[in-house]
Amino acid sequence: MSTALQESWAYLADSTLFWLAFTVAAYLIALKAYLRCRGNPLLLPVLTAVAMVVAVLYATDTPYEAYAGHTWFLTFLIGPATVALAIPLYGQLGRLKRMMAPLCVALLAGSATAIVTGMGIAWMLGGSLQTQLSIAPKSATMPIAMEVAALTGGLPSLTTIAVAVTGIAGAILSGFLLRLLRIADPAAQGFSLGLSAHAIGVARAFQVNETAGAFAALGMGLNGIATAILIPFWLALLALF
């Protein structure tokens, strides 16, 4: 690479506007490819957009910390976007009240299963306690998962990867699994997606219909709270044995 090109790239690599524009452009390209292929789950926009971003970071030897520093505003928007999900949920308030008991049971079962299986698989594969603690909150939404991992002794950077992989896998496999289990109720579909695949699952649920999206948002929010409560409880329980 010539000196002029190196200087130009160094200027771009230090530009917040460049990385923000690049990230948005990568997602728009991925979304267009997803729509043109009629919603092929293997071309999920989050998956292909992340692949493009990672490829550019690797090719340009750009540290993730530098990229994250320039795109902090996108991370900040997760909060307002999560709060905005309460709007469609409010339209399902009457049905939500009637389903409160089964939803609570599903929440407890799903959240506990995600934590225990995540830590268990990591343990069986020889992962350290720190690795297990990093993977434990994988089904919670990113901000909560990272905070829980940091407070319990995990690595937030590893948690970020675990959360992303969980969400992408959940969105890709959800259609097949729901058909296999013959779950047709949009509320059940959405709640399970939000509980297991957090924000990516919510986005996938809104592609089904608004009811599924609303219950997915509920599942994501409640699972974030449940994860923050259950992980310390589970660790205290393990310490007794």
Side-chain angles (χ1 to χ4, degrees), residues 2-212:
S2 67
T3 303
L5 287 176
Q6 289 179 340
E7 291 177 353
S8 298
W9 172 249
Y11 175 78
L12 287 176
D14 195 39
S15 170
T16 296
L17 181 60
F18 168 76
W19 287 115
L20 285 174
F22 168 70
T23 303
V24 173
Y27 181 80
L28 292 176
I29 293 172
L31 179 61
K32 186 173 182 179
Y34 177 75
L35 295 175
R36 290 197 62 170
C37 293
R38 299 180 181 180
N40 188 322
L42 296 179
L43 292 177
L44 196 70
V46 174
L47 174 61
T48 47
V50 167
M52 283 189 280
V53 171
V54 170
V56 170
L57 293 179
Y58 180 78
T60 59
D61 199 26
T62 302
Y64 171 76
E65 292 76 12
Y67 170 78
H70 288 300
T71 56
W72 66 268
F73 184 68
L74 297 178
T75 305
F76 166 78
L77 290 177
I78 294 176
T82 301
V83 174
L85 292 173
I87 297 175
L89 182 60
Y90 181 77
Q92 303 292 328
L93 190 59
R95 189 176 184 187
L96 174 60
K97 292 178 179 178
R98 296 191 299 270
M99 298 178 62
M100 187 57 67
L103 287 178
C104 288
V105 173
L107 172 65
L108 181 60
S111 185
T113 300
I115 295 168
V116 173
T117 55
M119 293 186 69
I121 292 173
W123 174 75
M124 286 189 294
L125 294 177
S128 65
L129 178 59
Q130 188 177 50
T131 299
Q132 296 172 41
L133 293 173
S134 302
I135 294 176
K138 62 182 176 55
S139 290
T141 185
M142 188 77 75
I144 296 177
M146 293 177 66
E147 189 68 21
V148 170
L151 291 174
T152 57
L155 292 172
S157 56
L158 178 56
T159 302
T160 301
I161 298 173
V163 170
V165 171
T166 299
I168 292 170
I172 291 176
L173 297 174
S174 61
F176 167 74
L177 291 175
L178 290 172
R179 288 192 298 271
L180 180 65
L181 298 173
R182 298 181 180 179
I183 299 175
D185 184 3
Q189 291 181 345
F191 192 78
S192 61
L193 270 168
L195 194 156
S196 60
H198 46 81
I200 300 177
V202 173
R204 180 70 181 87
F206 270 110
Q207 294 176 355
V208 178
N209 56 48
E210 187 171 329
T211 299

